[in-house]
Amino acid sequence: MAQKPSIPKGTRDFSQAEMARRNYIFDTIRGVFRTFGYQQIETPAMENLSTLLGKYGDEGDKLLFRILNSGDAFSGIDFDKPLTPQVAEKGLRYDLTVPFARFVVQHQSEISFPFKRFQIQPVWRADRPQKGRYREFYQCDVDVIGSRSQLNELELVQMVERVFEALDVRVLVKINNRKVLTGLAEICGFPDKVVDITVAIDKMEKIGLDAVKDELLARGLTADAVAALEPVLGMQGTTAEKIAFLRGIFDGKSEEGLLGVAELEELFSLIAAAGVAVPVELDLSLARGLNYYTGAIFEVKALDYAIGSICGGGRYDNLTGIFGLPGMSGVGISFGADRIYDVLTGLDKFPASLASSTQILFANMDEEGLHYVLPVAAALRKEGIAVEIYPDSSKLRKQFEYAERRQIPFLSINGSEEIAAGEVNVKNLSSGEQRRFPISDISGIASWLTQ
Amino acid sequence: MAQKPSIPKGTRDFSQAEMARRNYIFDTIRGVFRTFGYQQIETPAMENLSTLLGKYGDEGDKLLFRILNSGDAFSGIDFDKPLTPQVAEKGLRYDLTVPFARFVVQHQSEISFPFKRFQIQPVWRADRPQKGRYREFYQCDVDVIGSRSQLNELELVQMVERVFEALDVRVLVKINNRKVLTGLAEICGFPDKVVDITVAIDKMEKIGLDAVKDELLARGLTADAVAALEPVLGMQGTTAEKIAFLRGIFDGKSEEGLLGVAELEELFSLIAAAGVAVPVELDLSLARGLNYYTGAIFEVKALDYAIGSICGGGRYDNLTGIFGLPGMSGVGISFGADRIYDVLTGLDKFPASLASSTQILFANMDEEGLHYVLPVAAALRKEGIAVEIYPDSSKLRKQFEYAERRQIPFLSINGSEEIAAGEVNVKNLSSGEQRRFPISDISGIASWLTQ
C-alpha cells in the first residue's frame, strides 16, 4: 500500500513561490549585512547536548530536539537510571546565539576581534505548534563581539534602517538600556525588582499613573519607592529631554544608571551624526531579554501592519563566559524572517517580478524547430536570461497554458517560415506585441526581454 | 567549570573564509539553474520515519539519525518490544531525492508539470566519519519530473557545462543508459546479470579482454553468453559509431536495448545541435545507481584533479510510486559541493576577491572625526560598497593591523586637516596611492574603490 505522505507537525515545505519570496528577504538582509562588513558563518545543525543544556532555562531544555545515538542506542544502558541522557548525546540547534558563543570560544585563536559575523540558518524547538509558531524556523542573526563601542549599536540601527528601506516597510526602532532599568530599581531601593518596574512602566499608557502605582505597591514596592519612581513614570519630552531628566534622577544615586544614560546619550548622538532617517525612540518599557542583556536593548515594529516585533536584540557582556572565555562583550540583533514575510504579504510589498522566474519560453514544434532554437536558448542563457524550451512537442495550446501558469512573460514560436527566414519570433504575452529578430541578434532579443 | 567546547564528530563549522568560498560555489550553481527555469524549493530537516525507512536499503536505514519523540519519550512504552520505533517517529533527511518525491506527491495538485526544481540543503548520515566524508553535508540537486523528453537530459548536460565553465574547471561528462545495459544482459540470456556485466565492462581497460571474459564466466555466465557480449567489450570508434554498432547488436533481439540506443542517439543529436562544448562521452561501464535509474546515467569528472565524480545522476521512471503517484518519470543530477570545493582549492581556482569582503576601513580618530565620516560611510553603503568604521578610537597601528588581517584594500584616515578642508583621504593599501576627494563626492570615492 502506498503511504499517504505528510511531514512532521510544526514543520513546513516551501514551494517555489514561497522560496522566491523568502530568498528576496534573505538576499536583502544578507546584502545589507555585507555592506557593513559582517561576514557569514555556519555551524552544524547538531550540537553536543553539553553545549545546549542549561542555556535556555528549564523550559528551553525541555524544548530541545534530541538525537538518538547512532548504532544501537539501547545496548549496554542502565534501565534503572534516567534513559534520555544515556541514549541521546546530541541535540538540534535551538537558536544561533549559543552556537555562536561556542564557535567564538572554539576558534578564538583564528578570529580577529572585533568579530562581525552573521548567520542565517534554521533552528528547531519542540514547542506546541500554533499559528505563526513552527518547530523549524530560520533565524537571521547579526552580532559583533569584542568591542564595547556604541558605534556597534549605531550600525545595528543603520542595518535595520537599510533592510526595511530596501523592503519598503516603514518601521519604528525602540531602544532601551538595561543599566538605566537597573538604576531605576536602585534609586527606589529595590534592586531585585527590575522586571516588575519595567512591566509597570509598560502599562502606563494603557492603565494610567494611579493604576500603575497600585500595581507597583502590589508587587512589593514601598510607598517611598513608588514616590521615587513617579517622576520617571510621567516622563515627557524629546529623547534629549528624557535623557537629561534621567541623568538628574540618577545623579549621586546610581552609578549604573548614569552609565546607562551615558550609553544612550552617545548612541543617540551617533544616530543623529550618521543621518539615520528611520524613527528611533527611547522606550523604557522595552523588557526583552532582561535576564541576559546588559546594555542596549532593541526592538523593531512595523508601523503599517499589526504584528509583534519583527526584529530585536541587545548587548550582552559575557556571552562566551559559559564556554570559558570571560570578558567578551557583544551586541547583536535577530531579524524575524517569518514575521517579515507576513508583513510583506499583508502590505503587498513583494515585487511582482518574483512571480515569474523564467523570462521566455520557446515552444517545441518538432525536431527541426527544436534544433533551430537550441543555440538561441543557450546563447540567451549565457547572457544571464532565464530560458525554457517546452520539453515535448505537445499541442501548442498546452505549451501556451504552461507559459501562462508559470507566468512566463515572453513566448517564442518558430515555424518553417521563421526558419526559412533565419529569424526568431518573440511575443510579449501581456502586451501582445510581436517582434522578429535575425537569429544571430542575441543581444537584440536579450535587451527586449530585459527592458 | 567552563566546558571545553566542541562539536559532534563528522560535523563542521564553516568560517567566514570557508563560507565565502562555499557561497561562491552555491551562487554559481544556483545562477545556472535559474537560467534554465529551475526553481528552488525547501523541505524540512525532519521527516517522518515512515517517509524515510525502506528507501535506502537496510544499510541506509541504519544510517538515519532518529529524533527522540518530544515530551517524555519513554512514558507508556512497552519495554518488551523493540524500543527505537516506540521512542522515535522522526528522522533527519538522508538525501534530497526522497523528500522531493514526497513533496511532489503531497503537493501534486498545486504543481504544474513538467516540474523543474532545485534544492540545496544539508543532509545527515550516521556514517563513520573519515577524510572527505561527513555526517552533515550539503546536497545540491536539480531534477525535472513529469516529462520523458530527452531535452531534459540535454539541459542537465548544459547546466554541468555552464557551472564548470563559470567555475573555470575542465570536466568530462560520461553518459550511460540503463536500457542499453538491460539489453546487453538480455541478448546474452542473463537478464539478472546487469551489474556483473557492467562491472566487467568497467575492468576492460585495466585487465584486458581475456581476464574480463574469465571474470564473466566466474560470475556465472555461459561461454555462449560471453561470446555474445564479446563484440561489445571490444567496441571502438566515435560515439555515433558505437551507437550504430549497439543498434546492430540489439536489432531483432532486445526491444529494451533498442529503446536505450534510441535515447542515446537522440540525446547526442541534441548535444550536437545545442553546440555543447564540454566533452561528453558514452561510457557503458558507468554503474551508478543501477538499482533505481531506468534511462540515462550521468557522471562528471574533473579533468585536471584526481578525485571521484563531482556530479552525477540519471533518469528514474517511478520516483513517486512509493508514495502513491505512479508513472511519473524524472531525471536529475546532484552537484557534490564538498568535492567541488576540494577541486577549486586544489586547482587554486577561487577568485582572489573572495578573501576581502570589506572594501574600505575608516579609521576612528576621535569623536569629531567619527561624526565627520559617519555620513560618508552611510552614503557609500547605499552605493552597495562594503564599509567598516573601526569601532574604537584605538592606536592607529592597531586599526591598520585590523585592515591588514581582514585584507581590506582601502584605508581612510581623516584628521583635523581633512575635516577643515572638507575632504576625505583614501589610501590604496596595496599600491600605496593616496587620493583626496571632496566629502560630497561619494560617486568619485565609490568609483575609485570599485574600479
Side-chain angles (χ1 to χ4, degrees):
Chain A
M1 265 298 288
Q3 306 159 348
K4 184 169 180 275
S6 67
I7 49 178
K9 66 178 178 195
T11 69
R12 293 168 287 176
D13 283 326
F14 295 112
S15 70
Q16 317 86 277
E18 287 163 325
M19 280 305 295
R21 293 193 287 262
R22 289 171 65 84
N23 282 336
Y24 168 68
I25 295 171
F26 290 131
D27 290 346
T28 301
I29 292 174
R30 224 185 324 250
V32 170
F33 289 170
R34 288 198 177 125
T35 62
F36 284 79
Y38 285 76
Q39 294 179 286
Q40 191 168 15
I41 66 161
E42 283 190 2
T43 61
M46 298 187 278
E47 292 273 355
N48 293 319
L49 280 172
S50 55
T51 299
L52 301 176
L53 286 169
K55 310 304 188 300
Y56 308 106
D58 290 347
E59 194 51 34
D61 284 354
K62 282 189 204 141
L63 298 182
L64 292 173
F65 279 109
R66 289 153 202 257
I67 316 270
L68 211 53
N69 295 341
S70 39
D72 182 0
F74 292 96
S75 100
I77 71 165
D78 182 346
F79 282 91
D80 295 328
K81 291 186 181 163
L83 298 176
T84 303
Q86 297 184 75
V87 301
E89 286 162 3
K90 295 180 289 293
L92 292 178
R93 178 169 63 214
Y94 180 90
D95 71 359
L96 302 180
T97 306
V98 167
F100 173 52
R102 195 263 313 143
F103 179 99
V104 168
V105 177
Q106 192 173 329
H107 303 282
Q108 54 185 289
S109 62
E110 306 139 40
I111 294 173
S112 3
F113 294 96
F115 179 42
K116 302 166 89 174
R117 88 87 172 80
F118 72 90
Q119 195 169 351
I120 301 178
Q121 291 192 275
V123 301
W124 295 269
R125 297 180 184 179
D127 254 322
R128 187 176 299 276
Q130 57 185 59
K131 188 179 170 348
R133 186 192 288 170
Y134 305 100
R135 292 185 149 193
E136 173 181 68
F137 57 97
Y138 272 75
Q139 287 194 337
C140 203
D141 281 22
V142 58
D143 295 81
V144 51
I145 192 160
S147 162
R148 294 176 187 275
S149 165
Q150 289 293 310
L151 183 61
N152 301 300
E153 274 82 347
L154 168 68
E155 287 193 356
L156 297 178
V157 172
Q158 288 181 299
M159 287 192 280
V160 167
E161 175 184 38
R162 296 287 299 125
V163 164
F164 291 106
E165 200 175 279
L167 296 176
D168 193 22
V169 171
R170 297 196 316 132
V171 297
L172 167 67
V173 180
K174 295 181 172 191
I175 297 183
N176 198 358
N177 189 295
R178 177 58 155 85
K179 297 188 180 77
V180 168
L181 299 177
T182 304
L184 293 178
E186 281 178 7
I187 58 160
C188 70
F190 287 86
D192 58 331
K193 296 283 187 192
V194 171
V195 174
D196 300 86
I197 293 167
T198 309
V199 169
I201 296 172
D202 187 36
K203 293 193 178 168
M204 272 295 291
E205 265 189 37
K206 271 167 252 157
I207 63 177
L209 181 62
D210 289 343
V212 164
K213 284 161 70 179
D214 289 347
E215 183 162 331
L216 286 170
L217 292 168
R219 285 170 180 261
L221 269 70
T222 61
D224 281 354
V226 173
L229 281 179
E230 193 170 332
V232 179
L233 297 174
M235 193 173 71
Q236 297 286 340
T238 63
T239 299
E241 285 163 357
K242 287 179 184 170
I243 289 174
F245 183 82
L246 287 168
R247 173 171 289 119
I249 296 273
F250 292 136
D251 196 28
K253 291 187 194 139
S254 167
E255 281 295 321
E256 188 78 355
L258 285 174
L259 277 176
V261 166
E263 288 180 5
L264 281 175
E265 190 165 43
E266 186 179 355
L267 176 52
F268 277 99
S269 137
L270 289 170
I271 286 171
V276 170
V278 74
V280 183
E281 187 177 284
L282 171 61
D283 182 352
L284 293 184
S285 74
L286 207 61
R288 159 187 290 268
L290 284 181
N291 31 2
Y292 43 93
Y293 291 139
T294 53
I297 303 173
F298 299 102
E299 204 163 273
V300 180
K301 297 262 186 192
L303 285 173
D304 305 313
Y305 193 79
I307 200 165
S309 78
I310 53 180
C311 194
R315 180 173 282 276
Y316 32 85
D317 271 345
N318 195 16
L319 178 69
T320 55
I322 37 169
F323 297 114
L325 184 65
M328 272 284 177
S329 187
V331 60
I333 47 171
S334 184
F335 287 77
D338 286 308
R339 284 193 175 164
I340 294 172
Y341 187 101
D342 289 346
V343 170
L344 293 180
T345 304
L347 298 175
D348 198 15
K349 292 287 191 184
F350 283 113
S353 60
L354 296 180
S356 63
S357 56
T358 294
Q359 201 59 14
I360 181 167
L361 176 71
F362 284 93
N364 190 333
M365 311 297 283
D366 51 26
E367 195 185 332
E368 189 196 2
L370 176 59
H371 285 212
Y372 183 71
V373 300
L374 276 172
V376 184
L380 286 171
R381 286 167 178 148
K382 274 207 174 186
E383 300 289 313
I385 293 173
V387 176
E388 287 186 63
I389 303 174
Y390 196 82
D392 302 284
S393 52
S394 313
K395 284 189 182 142
L396 263 182
R397 173 180 198 81
K398 194 173 168 191
Q399 303 190 37
F400 182 76
E401 282 168 1
Y402 177 81
E404 279 202 315
R405 272 199 315 273
R406 292 283 315 280
Q407 300 182 250
I408 299 173
F410 290 89
L411 177 64
S412 178
I413 303 179
N414 301 286
S416 50
E417 197 193 322
E418 283 84 359
I419 296 177
E423 292 183 337
V424 176
N425 186 354
V426 181
K427 182 172 182 176
N428 180 325
L429 289 178
S430 58
S431 73
E433 186 186 352
Q434 289 199 46
R435 292 197 190 174
R436 282 199 184 194
F437 298 86
I439 192 167
S440 58
D441 185 16
I442 298 301
S443 65
I445 303 173
S447 69
W448 197 42
L449 296 178
T450 52
Q451 81 183 352
Chain B
M1 264 300 287
Q3 305 158 346
K4 185 170 179 272
S6 67
I7 50 177
K9 65 178 178 195
T11 69
R12 292 168 287 176
D13 283 325
F14 294 113
S15 71
Q16 317 88 274
E18 287 163 326
M19 281 304 295
R21 293 192 287 259
R22 288 172 64 85
N23 282 336
Y24 168 68
I25 295 172
F26 289 132
D27 290 347
T28 301
I29 291 175
R30 225 186 324 252
V32 170
F33 289 171
R34 288 200 175 120
T35 62
F36 285 79
Y38 285 76
Q39 294 180 288
Q40 191 169 15
I41 67 162
E42 283 190 2
T43 62
M46 297 187 277
E47 294 274 353
N48 293 320
L49 279 172
S50 56
T51 298
L52 301 177
L53 285 170
K55 308 305 188 299
Y56 307 106
D58 290 348
E59 194 50 34
D61 284 356
K62 281 187 206 144
L63 299 183
L64 292 173
F65 278 110
R66 290 152 200 256
I67 316 269
L68 211 54
N69 294 340
S70 38
D72 182 359
F74 293 96
S75 101
I77 70 164
D78 182 345
F79 282 91
D80 295 327
K81 290 186 180 163
L83 297 175
T84 303
Q86 297 184 74
V87 301
E89 286 163 3
K90 296 181 288 293
L92 292 178
R93 178 168 65 215
Y94 179 91
D95 72 359
L96 302 179
T97 306
V98 166
F100 173 51
R102 194 264 312 141
F103 179 99
V104 168
V105 176
Q106 192 173 330
H107 304 284
Q108 54 186 287
S109 62
E110 306 139 40
I111 293 173
S112 2
F113 294 96
F115 178 43
K116 301 166 87 172
R117 89 87 173 78
F118 73 90
Q119 195 168 349
I120 301 178
Q121 291 191 276
V123 301
W124 295 269
R125 297 181 185 179
D127 255 321
R128 187 176 298 276
Q130 58 184 60
K131 187 177 171 352
R133 186 192 288 170
Y134 305 101
R135 293 185 147 192
E136 173 180 67
F137 57 97
Y138 272 74
Q139 288 193 337
C140 203
D141 280 21
V142 58
D143 295 81
V144 51
I145 193 161
S147 163
R148 294 176 187 274
S149 165
Q150 289 294 312
L151 182 61
N152 301 300
E153 274 81 348
L154 168 67
E155 287 192 355
L156 297 179
V157 172
Q158 289 181 299
M159 288 192 282
V160 167
E161 175 184 36
R162 296 285 300 125
V163 163
F164 291 105
E165 200 174 279
L167 296 176
D168 193 21
V169 171
R170 297 196 315 132
V171 297
L172 166 67
V173 180
K174 295 182 173 192
I175 297 183
N176 197 359
N177 189 295
R178 177 57 154 85
K179 296 187 180 79
V180 168
L181 299 177
T182 305
L184 293 179
E186 281 178 9
I187 57 159
C188 70
F190 286 86
D192 58 330
K193 297 282 188 195
V194 172
V195 173
D196 300 87
I197 293 167
T198 309
V199 169
I201 296 172
D202 187 35
K203 294 193 176 167
M204 270 296 290
E205 265 189 38
K206 271 167 254 156
I207 62 176
L209 180 62
D210 288 340
V212 164
K213 283 161 71 177
D214 288 347
E215 182 162 333
L216 286 170
L217 292 169
R219 284 168 182 263
L221 268 72
T222 60
D224 282 354
V226 174
L229 282 178
E230 192 170 333
V232 179
L233 297 175
M235 192 173 73
Q236 298 286 338
T238 65
T239 300
E241 285 163 358
K242 287 179 185 172
I243 289 174
F245 183 82
L246 288 168
R247 172 171 291 116
I249 296 273
F250 292 136
D251 195 27
K253 293 188 194 138
S254 168
E255 280 296 320
E256 189 76 357
L258 285 173
L259 277 177
V261 166
E263 288 180 6
L264 282 175
E265 188 165 45
E266 186 179 356
L267 176 52
F268 277 98
S269 136
L270 289 170
I271 286 170
V276 169
V278 74
V280 183
E281 183 178 288
L282 171 60
D283 181 353
L284 293 184
S285 73
L286 206 63
R288 158 187 290 269
L290 284 181
N291 32 1
Y292 43 93
Y293 291 138
T294 54
I297 302 174
F298 298 103
E299 206 163 272
V300 180
K301 297 260 186 192
L303 285 174
D304 305 314
Y305 193 78
I307 201 166
S309 78
I310 53 179
C311 193
R315 179 173 284 276
Y316 32 83
D317 271 344
N318 195 17
L319 179 68
T320 57
I322 37 170
F323 296 115
L325 184 65
M328 273 284 178
S329 187
V331 60
I333 47 172
S334 184
F335 287 76
D338 287 307
R339 283 195 177 164
I340 294 172
Y341 188 101
D342 290 345
V343 170
L344 293 179
T345 304
L347 298 176
D348 198 15
K349 291 288 191 183
F350 283 112
S353 61
L354 296 179
S356 62
S357 55
T358 295
Q359 201 59 13
I360 181 168
L361 176 71
F362 284 92
N364 191 331
M365 312 297 284
D366 51 26
E367 194 185 333
E368 189 195 2
L370 176 60
H371 284 213
Y372 182 71
V373 299
L374 277 171
V376 184
L380 287 172
R381 285 167 179 148
K382 274 207 177 187
E383 300 289 314
I385 293 173
V387 177
E388 287 187 63
I389 304 175
Y390 196 82
D392 302 284
S393 53
S394 313
K395 284 189 182 140
L396 263 181
R397 173 178 197 84
K398 193 174 170 189
Q399 303 191 35
F400 182 76
E401 281 168 1
Y402 177 82
E404 279 203 314
R405 271 199 316 273
R406 291 285 314 282
Q407 300 183 250
I408 300 174
F410 291 90
L411 177 64
S412 179
I413 303 178
N414 301 285
S416 49
E417 197 194 325
E418 283 84 359
I419 297 177
E423 292 182 338
V424 176
N425 185 353
V426 181
K427 181 171 183 177
N428 180 324
L429 290 179
S430 58
S431 73
E433 187 187 354
Q434 287 198 50
R435 292 195 191 176
R436 282 199 183 193
F437 299 86
I439 192 167
S440 57
D441 185 16
I442 298 301
S443 64
I445 303 173
S447 69
W448 197 44
L449 295 179
T450 53
Q451 80 184 357

